[in-house]
Structure formats: C-alpha cells, structure tokens
Amino acid sequence: MRQAWIAFPRRACAALAFTAAQAACAADLTLAQVDWSRGEIAREAAQSYAGAKACVDLANASGGVAGRRLRLVRVAAAHAKEEPAQLLARVVQQEQPLAILNLTGADYVRALLKSQQLYASAVPVVGVSPGAESLRAPWNPYVFHLRAGDRAQLARMLSHLGTLGLANVAVAYEDDEFGRDGLRHVQELAGAQGVAVKAAFAVPAARADAIATVAKTAAASGAQAHLLVLRGEAGVRYLAALRQHAGATPVYGMSYLSAGESAQGDGGKAPASIALAQITPNPAAAATPLTREYLRAMKEFAPPGERPSPESLAGCIAARTVVEALRRMGGEPTPARLTAQLWNLRADLGGFVLDLTGSNVGSHLVDIGWVDAGGRLRF
C-alpha cells in the first residue's frame, strides 16, 4: 500500500484502528527529483539535489510539516534509451510524489513539455533550469519557474554596461538554440540601454580549436566589453582564450558559468574584470535568513566536500518553496491541492521573495557578481 495515506482524509485517521491505516496516515510526504541529464548538466542536477536534500533534512530536524516527515527521492533514467516522458511516468507511478523538484536540462524539459506527460501526471514541477524563455511560454499550469530567466539576466547585464559607459560590446554565443536565443535577446534589448553590439561570434562548443580561433577574432574587434552567452566548459575555454588576446577587457557572463572555473580560465590575469549574472542570493554569504538557513543545512546535512554553490542554493529554494506551500495549505496534501496552493503563493523565504500569483515565474532577481582571484563571487 505504497503512499496509501493519500486515500485517507485527516478526520478519518483518528477513527481507523488498523495498524496499516494508521501508518498510512502518518506516512512521509514524498518529493522527487527526476534526472535524465548527462555530462555537465548532470553535475548541476547533482548540486541541486544536494541543496534540496540538505534543506529537506533540516526541515525534518525541525519537525517536518504538520508533524510529518518529508522524503526526497532522486531517480535517474534506467538506461540511455529511456525517454523523459517514460521516466517521469515511471517515477510518478512508483513513488507517488507530491511534487517534482529541479528539472534540469533544456532538452529534457523541452521533451517533457512536448510530450504532454506533465498534464497526464498532474504533479507540480517546482524549479527548472535553464531559464530559456522557450521553456516558459506558452506556460504549463504544472510548471513553476522560481528564478529569473535568460532574458532578464541579459537585460540586467546590458543595463549595467550602459551605466558604466561600456557602449560597444562583442557577443560570443553558443552555436545552438540557447545561444541564438540569447543573441536575439541582446539585439532586442541593447539599444534601450545605450549599448551597441559591435560584433557577434558563434562559438562551436564542442571544438576547442575553433573556440580559441573565435576568441582571438573577438579580441581583435576592439569591443569595450565582451558578453558571453555560453555555458560550462565552452565558456571557460572561451574566457581562457580571450584573456590571451584581450587583456583585462571586462567580461560579462550568464549565471551558467561557475565563478571558480571562470577564475581558473582567467588564469589569475584579471579576476576583477569578470562579472557573472546571479539569480539567487550569494550562496557563500550568510547575509540573509535564507542563506543562513541554507549554509546551516549544508554544514549539517550535505555530503562531505559539497561546497555552497548557486545550484545547490537553487535546489534548497525549490525545497523551501514546497515546504512553505504545504505549511499554508492545511488538510491532507495531494498534488492537485499543492498545485493550487503554488498558484496562489506569495512568500518571502528570507531575503528571496517569490510571487507566483498570476505568473509561472516566481522571482525576477538578477544581481551582478564579480569574481575574485580565489574564484569567489563578490556581490
């Protein structure tokens, strides 16, 4: 009778004498993270899970939700050929979760949206990465994006560049749907911020030799700043090559670039000239109630060696969002009732404000963090 508690209303619990029924009433509240991604994206998913699990464990140590423990399970594809929709259907059937946390990977999310499996499963998804606008519109009533999207990141960086008087920028964009969408956003937004795109360069992410060649050409453009619509290893390689030719020219990147790896790619040449958009509070600074709680959770419950990161903080935010919705909901939790509560959720999680009323995007926060010589963000 897995997760049979869903079938028993709260008032019925006191009247049930059978041990199995009593256990069902007190069963854990199950959440699930479903991973289909591989490579670099799999690392992001692992960090998101670490943060979510640590914050779930901290909530349980504080009494759980209405006296019931939370259970977070992580399930990956059984084999390379298991389709995203099949994987989600299997997890929903086997685990009966109240919510899915931290969907990670554009291809994975796009496949689920096209498959209609989210409607069939009718379980809310809380937290999605990346922040591509194509994954947010048209909206899906079961998908809740908690952080600012790609367009908001690029708008914030362009505004910052305009304020500094860095009016001519070179854009390096990944030669795929993510990068081309990013370039389009930059071209649409730049003029209003007093910024001109001096040149744009497509970067073939899979070819290290080509990345170096493109970076050399971009450095010769004479741009006052370089804006990178790049992710992961491709972004680090591009930055390293760019530094060989562009000196300390300011470089701006999206939140998908790691501060530590960016500092390594920079080679210590000009760390103060690397800026990264950030869509969570600083995970390493105990400056808000949320980050203090997150850092405590990571210290007490995260695996040894797991360092604070924007990805694990995002995982924690997803878990905290569900906990907040469950605490406000009252009554016996079901995926349908949780979905309805999320659509009416306005909450301050402790310095990170979410407002999902009338929107499937909870936060529009975008900060600019500077990378120091030690690979730490300062903002």
Side-chain angles (χ1 to χ4, degrees), residues 93-145:
Q93 180 181 23
Q94 293 177 355
E95 302 295 342
Q96 298 185 28
L98 288 170
I100 303 294
L101 303 187
N102 305 315
L103 283 188
T104 305
D107 292 342
Y108 177 27
V109 179
R110 192 173 293 112
L112 286 176
L113 291 172
K114 289 181 178 179
S115 72
Q116 300 298 303
Q117 185 59 49
L118 293 169
Y119 285 93
S121 297
V123 174
V125 171
V126 183
V128 176
S129 180
E133 304 305 321
S134 62
L135 304 180
R136 300 179 173 217
W139 65 273
N140 184 298
Y142 294 103
V143 180
F144 299 89
H145 304 266

Side-chain angles (χ1 to χ4, degrees), residues 126-218:
V126 183
V128 176
S129 180
E133 304 305 321
S134 62
L135 304 180
R136 300 179 173 217
W139 65 273
N140 184 298
Y142 294 103
V143 180
F144 299 89
H145 304 266
L146 303 183
R147 297 182 290 167
D150 292 356
R151 187 177 178 89
Q153 289 191 48
L154 293 165
R156 177 70 177 87
M157 288 191 287
L158 288 166
S159 173
H160 189 74
L161 287 164
T163 299
L164 294 178
L166 300 174
N168 295 306
V169 303
V171 180
Y173 63 97
E174 209 157 314
D175 194 12
D176 60 9
E177 185 174 358
F178 157 73
R180 289 187 287 272
D181 281 350
L183 175 63
R184 177 173 52 82
H185 295 320
V186 171
Q187 292 170 331
E188 292 172 353
L189 296 165
Q193 304 300 335
V195 176
V197 178
K198 188 175 183 67
F201 303 93
V203 177
R207 293 181 52 198
D209 57 337
I211 289 174
T213 300
V214 174
K216 183 177 180 179
T217 304

Side-chain angles (χ1 to χ4, degrees), residues 218-229:
S221 69
Q224 294 174 292
H226 295 268
L227 180 56
L228 311 188
V229 187

